[in-house]
Amino acid sequence: MAIFNDLCFGCTPPSPKPPVKRCKGGGGFVCNVNNVQPHKVNYEKDIVRGRGHQNRLSSSVVKQVATVLAKKTWHDAHYKSFEEFYIKVRSIVNIHGIGNLTVYDIATQLIKCFPTLAPMPCDYVYLASGALDGARILLGSKTVTAELKKAKAHLQRIVATAGYAGNNLYNINRNLGAGVCLHRSVFDAYFPSSVSAYDIEDILCIYKKHFTPGGTKQGCCFTDIAAIVAHYKPTNAVPAASISPQQVNP
């Protein structure tokens, strides 16, 4: 079944991949991990706006979230799974105007800055906005809806055992709406195990318009998954210039 356009407009050669690190107990998948381990970060620039998705957030909301995050001692915390950490971040930044995509971006950017904090996404591919659209095109809306319900139930079980207070528990469950995550195995027919859940989310968002023969004819077009994986270049690393390992966490 053809899932990409047949024509290629200005495709660039495959780009080298960054170093990879195997997830801790994450189903055997590989995660891209930035090896930088700073002791101090710019929470507004490197964390809240780190992946470049948050241009629509007001400056006041960004500063509010950055202030909340900066009060935590992240280098002393350890979570067994990304799912547990995601729920924790969701509870911390339970602020009006902050959706699932922002929570996901904040969680992954924190792990890039503090690699011992938690594993990067391994067992689940997190979906919001463009990535959710890409998944629906690639897998079909019915499959995505059914798998989202399974994943949501899994996250709610984590919330139920996390010991959050009543109102906080309610708010977290309310915010775990449509478009949270799908199990990595749902994508086994399309992506080899060497492609991490984190990268799948990125690919679904960036290349969503190439997943159908009737898609856009702008940019690069591909004939199969292998071509798109070879072309894909992760661009979400924490900017090294903004990090100083010599700085001390306040």
Side-chain angles (χ1 to χ4, degrees):
M1 177 180 68
I3 56 174
F4 297 108
N5 289 305
D6 294 326
L7 300 178
C8 180
F9 296 83
C11 294
T12 56
S15 302
K17 297 287 185 178
V20 296
K21 180 179 179 181
R22 189 161 297 279
C23 296
K24 300 176 181 178
F29 301 112
V30 176
C31 293
N32 290 314
V33 176
N34 188 347
N35 290 324
V36 177
Q37 299 186 32
H39 296 290
K40 183 177 181 179
V41 298
N42 182 322
Y43 283 88
E44 182 175 336
K45 180 180 179 181
D46 296 333
I47 305 301
V48 183
R49 296 193 187 273
R51 288 193 73 195
H53 289 155
Q54 315 307 335
N55 294 331
R56 295 182 180 180
L57 290 179
S58 68
S59 296
S60 61
V61 171
V62 171
K63 291 183 182 297
Q64 184 180 359
V65 175
T67 299
V68 170
L69 294 172
K71 293 179 180 179
K72 303 296 179 179
T73 309
W74 298 107
H75 59 268
D76 287 340
H78 302 283
Y79 294 83
K80 295 180 180 179
S81 70
F82 179 81
E83 284 63 56
E84 291 181 13
F85 183 55
Y86 174 88
I87 295 297
K88 181 63 176 179
V89 174
R90 173 81 269 182
S91 70
I92 292 172
V93 296
N94 195 13
I95 297 169
H96 180 71
I98 300 299
N100 289 327
L101 178 59
T102 305
V103 173
Y104 174 79
D105 287 348
I106 289 173
T108 54
Q109 290 301 108
L110 282 169
I111 295 171
K112 287 178 181 180
C113 286
F114 306 98
T116 60
L117 183 57
M120 288 287 277
C122 299
D123 295 327
Y124 288 86
V125 177
Y126 282 72
L127 305 175
S129 189
L132 179 59
D133 293 338
R136 284 172 173 160
I137 295 171
L138 184 64
L139 303 172
S141 294
K142 290 184 178 180
T143 297
V144 170
T145 299
E147 294 297 331
L148 282 173
K149 289 181 180 178
K150 295 179 184 178
K152 181 178 179 180
H154 172 68
L155 292 180
Q156 287 176 326
R157 284 193 292 271
I158 294 176
V159 172
T161 59
Y164 295 115
N167 289 336
N168 208 10
L169 175 63
Y170 168 77
N171 288 331
I172 294 172
N173 275 305
R174 181 189 63 185
N175 286 316
L176 294 179
V180 178
C181 58
L182 300 181
H183 196 271
R184 172 60 175 79
S185 62
V186 177
F187 297 93
D188 283 352
Y190 301 95
F191 296 95
S193 61
S194 58
V195 181
S196 73
Y198 177 82
D199 286 340
I200 290 176
E201 182 272 341
D202 215 21
I203 290 171
L204 289 173
C205 182
I206 295 172
Y207 299 96
K208 58 182 177 291
K209 293 182 180 179
H210 304 290
F211 289 165
T212 170
T216 179
K217 295 186 182 301
Q218 298 177 354
C220 295
C221 303
F222 305 89
T223 57
D224 56 29
I225 287 285
I228 212 170
V229 170
H231 180 269
Y232 167 71
K233 179 182 179 181
T235 57
N236 300 310
V238 176
S242 66
I243 297 172
S244 174
Q246 285 72 42
Q247 292 176 313
V248 179
N249 198 35

